[in-house]
Amino acid sequence: MPDLIRMENIIKNYGPVQALSGVDLSVGEKEIVGLLGDNGAGKSTLIKVLSGAVPISSGKIFVRGQEVTIKSTTDAIGHGIETIYQDSALVTQLSIARNLFLGREPYKGPAFLGRLDEEMMNAVASDLLRKVGISKNIPPTTPIGALSGGERQAVAIARAMHFDSDLIILDEPTNNLGVAETQGVLNFIRGARESGHSCIFIAHNIHHVFQVVDRIIVMRRGRVVADDIRPGNSTVEQVERVITGMDEHVPV
């Protein structure tokens, strides 16, 4: 069976600066992959390429063995790739429920009549908020602008949970989250495999990564320097040494 996602020899240049230098990366079906590296390692650039936020300079991307062209976020979503950035854009004036369904709103009767199914959106929103660990009774009609930073991030996580994507990319999803919200996100990642999803999990907190992933990939200076670290066979300290360049080898 081919990998769900395979990226080959990905190069991204910003003028004379090469942000990605021939990166190869793969994610299997129902696999949870941790993507680690110091600031400037190239993680965010690689994810932006895969999510269609920035174009590649050269290289190939395959989805289930078929080469695809990803030039926009719409292309990525069409190929089953959903990305949650640390600063996921939400419309502050709209409610939690409206943000969850933004661009994919359900209607009662013909769509041209414009009758949103607000009852369904509110019910789904309430259920999803509980799943991502928001224990407070926040009405789904609450405007995003009234939420804390952690609560807004949880709403972005909830949006990806509802729309079944093959690959969900989470870029620093636990930043600014409380303990309960963080556990909700980690539980979501753990459950993604069972529900048929694959995930790429980017985080600075290596302990969070070790709790949920099958495999760890480490980037440094625009290159992949390790791609098959197994949490069960290595330690946080060993991975930290690879990230910083103090060590090149970790038990796999």
Side-chain angles (χ1 to χ4, degrees), residues 222-235:
R223 298 180 183 274
V224 170
V225 295
D227 68 356
D228 197 21
I229 300 173
R230 304 288 169 169
N233 298 332
S234 58
T235 67

Side-chain angles (χ1 to χ4, degrees), residues 18 21 37 61-62 66-67 87 97 101-102 106 146 159 227 249 251:
Q18 191 167 68
S21 305
I61 301 174
F62 299 84
Q66 298 296 314
E67 186 174 357
D87 55 352
F101 287 91
L102 197 61
R159 185 166 56 190
D227 68 356
H249 303 288

Side-chain angles (χ1 to χ4, degrees), residues 26-248:
S26 65
V27 181
E29 297 275 1
K30 302 181 183 180
E31 184 180 28
I32 312 301
V33 173
L35 182 60
L36 302 179
D38 257 336
N39 291 332
K43 308 183 303 295
S44 292
T45 301
L46 184 65
I47 291 313
K48 287 177 180 177
V49 165
L50 184 56
S51 65
V54 300
I56 58 175
S57 300
S58 64
K60 296 180 179 181
I61 301 174
F62 299 84
V63 177
R64 292 194 171 95
Q66 298 296 314
E67 186 174 357
V68 300
T69 300
I70 298 179
K71 294 184 177 180
S72 67
T73 54
T74 301
D75 288 342
I77 291 170
H79 290 299
I81 301 168
E82 188 94 27
T83 304
I84 302 168
Y85 293 106
Q86 181 179 342
D87 55 352
S88 287
L90 298 170
V91 182
T92 56
Q93 298 88 346
L94 293 181
S95 69
I96 294 171
R98 286 295 306 275
N99 270 276
L100 287 173
F101 287 91
L102 197 61
R104 293 178 272 198
E105 293 84 354
Y107 290 91
K108 288 184 176 179
F112 68 85
L113 294 178
R115 296 176 58 214
L116 290 175
D117 193 342
E118 295 185 5
E119 183 177 346
M120 188 272 274
M121 289 193 292
N122 289 338
V124 170
S126 294
D127 181 58
L128 287 171
L129 291 177
R130 286 192 296 271
K131 287 182 178 178
V132 294
I134 294 182
S135 55
K136 292 191 296 183
N137 185 23
I138 302 176
T141 54
T142 303
I144 290 294
L147 303 181
S148 69
E151 289 164 348
R152 295 185 194 196
Q153 182 72 336
V155 170
I157 297 286
R159 185 166 56 190
M161 288 174 66
H162 183 65
F163 291 101
D164 288 336
S165 300
D166 296 319
L167 176 68
I168 300 174
I169 302 170
L170 301 113
D171 188 1
E172 300 286 356
T174 56
N175 269 17
N176 304 316
L177 297 188
V179 174
E181 293 166 338
T182 295
Q183 287 306 312
V185 172
L186 296 179
N187 287 337
F188 159 63
I189 297 172
R190 289 187 189 100
R193 184 190 306 103
E194 284 68 33
S195 58
H197 303 295
S198 298
C199 286
I200 296 177
F201 179 24
I202 304 170
H204 278 101
N205 190 317
I206 302 177
H207 295 277
H208 290 167
V209 173
F210 261 67
Q211 290 181 49
V212 296
V213 305
D214 303 308
R215 177 168 59 96
I216 292 172
I217 298 170
V218 176
M219 294 187 67
R220 191 184 326 124
R221 297 178 181 176
R223 298 180 183 274
V224 170
V225 295
D227 68 356
D228 197 21
I229 300 173
R230 304 288 169 169
N233 298 332
S234 58
T235 67
V236 169
E237 290 74 21
Q238 287 173 321
V239 174
E240 286 175 338
R241 291 176 66 86
V242 174
I243 290 172
T244 59
M246 295 176 65
D247 197 348
E248 298 295 332

